Amino acid sequence: GIQVEQSPPDLILQEGANSTLRCNFSDSVNNLQWFHQNPWGQLINLFYIPSGTKQNGRLSATTVATERYSLLYISSSQTTDSGVYFCAVPRFIKAAGNKLTFGGGTRVLVKP
Amino acid sequence: NAGVTQTPKFQVLKTGQSMTLQCAQDMNHNSMYWYRQDPGMGLRLIYYSASEGTTDKGEVPNGYNVSRLNKREFSLRLESAAPSQTSVYFCASSESRLAPGAQYFGPGTRLLVL
């Protein structure tokens, strides 16, 4: 099956700093999701981004499907950005529904 | 619009006990999923349901059963809980049956099996 790898595994930021998280995948995909799991365990959809670039406030994401990677940018980080960031890619299951394969996550801690 | 809801939020079981985790979505999605998340890991698919009346096994189905009660509800049952089933369980739904669509997750159920 497809392999999804994220880097770095851990990231410590000073509040206000910028950072880039990377997601590599081993096979071609036709979409990709980024999630933020906050310290309370809730999984929040950040982006659904099969290709190109999307922006949502201080966060943006770029997927280059032909080169099998996606990047998540956090600008002007805030303490509320702390948590674990996951990327996930779907695979069809029997031509119905889709299965998400998750990367191992990047754990981010933003210090005040 | 509550999205995906799960009950209970937290549960402690003894080995051998049974329980059912409930999930409901109000987004009129066709597909629903159950995942488990173990410490320090991403999520793994337990079971999924592409549409009402159909269910299929995912990566880690052993020890679980599911029921797609109607389009809104998808329950996960542990018949005889084991300590290895201590985990956080997430339910998700997505809108598209024929194309990969974004999945939306519930808040999770934390299960401890003693």
Side-chain angles (χ1 to χ4, degrees):
Chain A
I2 192 169
Q3 304 297 314
V4 183
E5 295 183 352
Q6 291 184 242
S7 59
D10 296 280
L11 192 57
I12 299 175
L13 300 171
Q14 202 62 43
E15 195 170 29
N18 302 329
S19 65
T20 302
L21 284 59
R22 186 176 181 103
C23 173
N24 292 331
F25 37 94
S26 61
D27 203 353
S28 60
V29 298
N30 51 16
N31 76 59
L32 181 143
Q33 280 185 264
W34 281 99
F35 296 92
H36 175 216
Q37 188 165 38
N38 64 24
W40 295 269
Q42 188 178 7
L43 270 171
I44 300 163
N45 273 306
L46 296 177
F47 294 102
Y48 172 74
I49 180 167
S51 63
T53 297
K54 291 187 177 180
Q55 180 137 16
N56 183 0
R58 295 179 296 100
L59 301 181
S60 64
T62 296
T63 295
V64 183
T66 53
E67 297 187 25
R68 302 182 184 173
Y69 73 89
S70 183
L71 302 174
L72 179 70
Y73 305 95
I74 305 174
S75 65
S76 303
S77 58
Q78 299 178 358
T79 55
T80 52
D81 295 331
S82 296
V84 183
Y85 290 80
F86 290 103
C87 66
V89 297
R91 273 289 182 260
F92 281 123
I93 312 172
K94 295 183 181 179
N98 61 86
K99 167 189 177 299
L100 284 180
T101 298
F102 283 77
T106 293
R107 187 175 301 274
V108 174
L109 174 63
V110 182
K111 293 186 172 182
Chain B
N1 189 340
V4 180
T5 56
Q6 293 183 234
T7 55
K9 287 186 169 55
F10 181 73
Q11 184 73 46
V12 179
L13 293 177
K14 295 181 179 178
T15 297
Q17 288 185 316
S18 61
M19 79 163 294
T20 300
L21 283 65
Q22 306 287 353
C23 174
Q25 52 91 10
D26 62 3
M27 296 176 282
N28 201 36
H29 286 174
N30 286 315
S31 300
M32 297 185 72
Y33 312 83
W34 277 104
Y35 292 86
R36 62 178 286 173
Q37 184 180 30
D38 298 309
M41 297 178 65
L43 281 69
R44 292 182 294 169
L45 183 65
I46 305 171
Y47 269 94
Y48 68 98
S49 170
S51 62
E52 184 179 350
T54 69
T55 62
D56 282 284
K57 295 178 180 179
E59 298 173 84
V60 288
N62 291 344
Y64 305 96
N65 285 302
V66 290
S67 295
R68 183 74 182 267
L69 304 170
N70 47 55
K71 191 171 186 179
R72 289 188 63 248
E73 299 173 290
F74 188 37
S75 62
L76 178 72
R77 183 162 178 83
L78 286 71
E79 291 291 351
S80 178
S84 60
Q85 294 178 304
T86 293
S87 190
V88 181
Y89 292 86
F90 288 95
C91 177
S93 69
S94 67
E95 64 180 6
S96 174
R97 189 192 304 186
L98 297 178
Q103 291 193 18
Y104 297 87
F105 284 78
T109 294
R110 282 165 174 71
L111 176 65
L112 174 62
V113 182
L114 302 174

